[in-house]
Amino acid sequence: MARKIDVVFSDFQPGSALRAALGMTPTSVIELVTKSKLRGRGGAGFPTGLKWDAARSHRSDDKFIICNADEGEPGTFKDKNILEKQTAKVIEGMAIGAYAIGASKGFIYLRGEYKYLVKDLMKKIEELKSQNLIGKDICREKGFCFDVDIKLGSGSYVCGEETALIESLESKRGEPRNKPPYPAEAGYLGQPTVVNNVETLSFIPHILLNGAEWFQQFGTEKSTGSKLFSVSGDCRKPGIYEFEFGITIRELLKEIDADPDTKAVQIGGASGFCACSDDFDKPICFEGIPTGGSIIVFNKSRSMFMVLKNFVEFFQEESCGQCVPCREGCSRMLEGIEKFEQGRGSSKTINDLLELSTTMSLASKCGFGQSVPNSFRTIASKFKDEILSAGGGEVWRS
Amino acid sequence: MLRETLLRKLDHLIEFHGKARESVLPVLQDLQATYGYLGEETINEVARTFGISQTEVFSVASFYHFLNTKEKGKYVIRICRTISCELRDKANILRALESELGIRMGETTHDKKYSLDYANCMGMCDRGPSMMVNDDLYADLTPSKAVDIVLSYR
């Protein structure tokens, strides 16, 4: 049975973890993070230690660490709460990262929808400055300077992708870059840059204080630690939960008091996977069903056709339009799905869209286009009847 | 809008954000907050100030959902169209606002006071349905609550 955990929102003494880090060499800080096997919590799951190590290895006087607070995946709201309630912890995570890779400047890239948080965040930054936890010669460590600035997004889902985020930070269109070079080598203004998710950064101080073994006791072998989940949809207790990686869908549904007639759970938002009752014993983790944390529950009365259509409309609107497979693919997929509403869809339409899905996941430039087909594939295969009958019309409740 | 007023505003913004190329977006965001949209004149002056082409500024401004290149109402109402709010009867909120304001989704009232738009996930999924009025975020809406909130913006 996977355990309920309380790390991210637990009490924390600002400065304690940073002082511990400053007592170590930057290389040993990175070694510690690598040993903890912490992986990015935004969804992609890239090992944080490796990212830091790559940025450290590239020589430059101007390196940057960016906190990705562009939480835009449908159904996700955990990062907002972390930033609201644990601002100091997140910024300390950034400061530790800055020390480790040799950066002196950090940005919090905050999505435009969360503009109302700016005032409180600025206040907290000033407070940390007055405590000498950011600014010049931090914690009386000669020569270690680190400043944090807040930059706002302006309503664009794709800017959550790290290279699109960097483009946006440079005041350009939020179009993902070709990789390589990776941001660790050439990121913001062409300098070595680390982009970490809010939740990822909030674990860093705890790892510094408690060690890699402590972190590894939670979760699975390949997905260590705990994970925040943003729960919404048909359940009695929506909200934010922290569980060990490896929790099964069934266990999670019980904790959130999901409707007894739950027929589907969307894991990882629009770009994630749809699970039906056959999947409920599968574990949620990088080697199982991966997620950035969005959990949306659907009971028996919901039309999965409408759910799918909602997701594809979202993608069609948010595709940056830069590469053909994603730009055209999203539009064609929406057209195909609308055929079912117009009574023109057939099993051939589904097969054509599955073929399109393969093209999109293979040929799209970034993770956005590559993950568009996830929800189509899983919903179309598990709820084919509902797609062929267009869910019985346009109603949300049958 | 008077050109002098715009230029004075731009001067202030440059003083605060700096004149490097990476300051264009923050400047556009602030101009949008002041004027409600980024018209041709504004785009041209920003381009001139930064020494880049108008097309370049326009391509940035038109990329982001929250930056308008066409005039909108004084208050832009954005209703969350993401699935979690949809499951919590977002459709009723939309219907109530459309009939209260006498406009359809995507339109602006004749007095240029309100515009009605969709937005994607606002991070209020556990407390939907939700909407934004300019920068302010509202959740736990009912049709009457949504109407009262909107009408409180004068």
Side-chain angles (χ1 to χ4, degrees):
Chain A
M1 183 80 189
R3 277 176 294 170
K4 227 173 168 170
I5 307 280
D6 183 21
V7 175
V8 173
F9 293 105
S10 64
D11 288 341
F12 163 72
Q13 181 61 45
S16 54
L18 186 55
R19 277 185 205 101
L22 293 173
M24 301 160 69
T25 65
T27 325
S28 42
V29 170
I30 294 176
E31 272 165 16
L32 176 66
V33 174
T34 307
K35 211 175 139 204
S36 76
K37 297 193 197 163
L38 173 68
R39 296 171 68 168
R41 261 43 178 175
F46 193 83
T48 307
L50 285 185
K51 224 180 211 184
W52 286 14
D53 193 42
R56 165 131 208 106
S57 69
H58 290 99
R59 298 268 160 259
S60 168
D61 293 336
D62 284 310
K63 294 185 187 180
F64 300 95
I65 183 156
I66 298 166
C67 168
N68 185 347
D70 192 54
E71 170 177 66
E73 189 63 54
T76 319
F77 44 96
K78 58 170 182 88
D79 290 344
K80 177 188 67 180
N81 281 53
I82 303 174
L83 275 176
E84 265 180 319
K85 296 181 181 137
Q86 297 293 341
T87 319
K89 201 183 273 184
V90 176
I91 293 177
E92 189 144 332
M94 291 176 77
I96 294 166
Y99 173 70
I101 67 167
S104 56
K105 177 89 194 170
F107 295 105
I108 298 174
Y109 184 90
L110 187 69
R111 65 191 302 235
E113 289 84 343
Y114 295 170
K115 191 176 173 183
Y116 70 100
L117 292 178
V118 170
K119 229 170 116 188
D120 284 346
L121 288 175
M122 296 290 276
K123 222 169 95 187
K124 197 77 204 177
I125 289 174
E126 286 310 314
E127 203 181 303
L128 292 170
K129 250 182 210 163
S130 70
Q131 294 167 353
N132 190 224
L133 294 175
I134 45 179
K136 284 203 174 79
D137 299 330
I138 296 170
C139 299
R140 295 201 207 103
E141 174 86 6
K142 269 258 169 283
F144 175 49
C145 305
F146 179 62
D147 271 315
V148 181
D149 221 344
I150 299 168
K151 295 282 180 188
L152 275 171
S154 262
S156 164
Y157 168 76
V158 73
C159 287
E161 197 276 344
E162 60 177 6
T163 61
L165 185 154
I166 291 169
E167 286 286 297
S168 177
L169 210 54
E170 292 181 359
S171 284
K172 296 176 183 153
R173 291 165 69 86
E175 292 173 351
R177 293 175 177 175
N178 282 320
K179 292 190 263 192
Y182 289 88
E185 182 186 346
Y188 182 61
L189 303 178
Q191 301 299 327
T193 303
V194 159
V195 184
N196 287 141
N197 174 265
V198 175
E199 184 185 340
T200 314
L201 289 166
S202 72
F203 282 113
I204 296 289
H206 292 287
I207 292 172
L208 260 292
L209 288 171
N210 301 313
E213 283 80 18
W214 165 83
F215 189 73
Q216 284 189 37
Q217 66 174 308
F218 308 117
T220 67
E221 202 199 324
K222 285 179 179 155
S223 313
T224 54
S226 48
K227 175 84 195 81
L228 288 195
F229 294 94
S230 314
V231 176
S232 64
D234 298 318
C235 64
R236 233 60 51 80
K237 296 187 210 156
I240 294 170
Y241 291 83
E242 184 172 350
F243 294 118
E244 272 186 89
F245 264 126
I247 186 171
T248 65
I249 300 171
R250 198 179 302 283
E251 287 165 344
L252 186 139
L253 290 176
K254 193 167 169 240
E255 293 283 345
I256 64 177
D257 210 351
D259 286 7
D261 61 346
T262 297
K263 74 169 168 188
V265 186
Q266 183 71 18
I267 296 171
S271 66
F273 302 85
C274 180
C276 64
S277 54
D278 290 349
D279 305 313
F280 287 177
D281 288 316
K282 289 181 182 165
I284 302 176
C285 53
F286 294 112
E287 63 270 40
I289 302 182
T291 177
S294 167
I295 302 284
I296 309 172
V297 184
F298 304 105
N299 69 26
K300 222 171 183 169
S301 75
R302 307 299 187 178
S303 155
M304 294 313 287
F305 174 80
M306 293 302 283
V307 172
L308 175 61
K309 190 179 158 211
N310 180 288
F311 288 157
V312 179
E313 279 173 344
F314 164 75
F315 284 128
Q316 198 261 343
E317 194 180 299
E318 293 291 342
S319 170
C320 83
Q322 188 186 190
C323 75
V324 179
C326 178
R327 182 183 67 229
E328 284 301 308
C330 288
S331 296
R332 297 291 161 251
M333 188 170 280
L334 184 58
E335 269 176 29
I337 286 164
E338 283 169 345
K339 273 189 183 173
F340 289 98
E341 271 179 323
Q342 301 151 355
R344 297 189 298 123
S346 63
S347 54
K348 182 177 182 303
T349 316
I350 293 189
N351 289 337
D352 287 347
L353 292 179
L354 282 172
E355 208 174 305
L356 175 68
S357 297
T358 309
T359 307
M360 288 180 77
S361 24
L362 283 173
S364 295
K365 181 169 166 175
C366 78
F368 178 112
Q370 290 160 14
S371 59
V372 168
N374 291 345
S375 50
F376 174 75
R377 276 201 200 105
T378 44
I379 294 176
S381 66
K382 289 165 191 174
F383 298 97
K384 200 170 175 179
D385 289 341
E386 292 193 35
I387 306 301
L388 288 172
S389 61
E394 77 279 20
V395 287
W396 278 95
R397 294 215 177 87
S398 48
Chain B
M1 158 198 346
L2 271 174
R3 182 157 184 262
E4 288 88 80
T5 333
L6 173 62
L7 290 182
R8 216 172 311 132
K9 177 80 192 165
L10 252 175
D11 277 346
H12 278 300
L13 291 176
I14 295 295
E15 210 172 295
F16 183 74
H17 294 294
K19 217 174 169 174
R21 172 64 182 81
E22 61 270 21
S23 300
V24 170
L25 190 54
V27 166
L28 290 177
Q29 287 167 339
D30 286 351
L31 288 171
Q32 152 100 22
T34 309
Y35 299 115
Y37 77 112
L38 304 163
E40 204 178 325
E41 194 190 357
T42 314
I43 300 257
N44 291 352
E45 290 304 340
V46 171
R48 206 185 47 82
T49 307
F50 281 94
I52 55 179
S53 78
Q54 296 154 11
T55 343
E56 193 174 338
V57 179
F58 183 78
S59 87
V60 173
S62 58
F63 181 85
Y64 297 93
H65 295 310
F66 287 4
L67 299 179
N68 310 315
T69 49
K70 294 213 172 71
E71 193 171 2
K72 290 246 176 192
K74 186 173 170 198
Y75 303 113
V76 179
I77 304 157
R78 293 191 170 89
I79 299 180
C80 178
R81 61 166 297 276
T82 293
I83 198 102
S84 309
C85 284
E86 195 89 56
L87 297 178
R88 286 176 170 241
D89 298 328
K90 165 228 97 183
N92 293 341
I93 308 295
L94 174 62
R95 221 171 293 136
L97 288 179
E98 279 184 334
S99 84
E100 181 71 31
L101 301 174
I103 52 172
R104 305 298 299 271
M105 173 50 68
E107 294 177 348
T108 300
T109 53
H110 282 300
D111 58 2
K112 301 262 172 161
K113 202 159 145 189
Y114 299 111
S115 294
L116 207 46
D117 261 333
Y118 273 137
N120 289 314
C121 196
M122 299 168 182
M124 286 290 175
C125 323
D126 54 337
R127 296 174 45 204
S130 59
M131 69 173 180
M132 290 173 81
V133 182
N134 291 352
D135 293 334
D136 306 328
L137 193 49
Y138 299 94
D140 294 314
L141 295 175
T142 60
S144 62
K145 226 167 125 183
V147 168
D148 287 348
I149 290 167
V150 165
L151 294 182
S152 72
Y153 285 82
R154 295 175 175 280

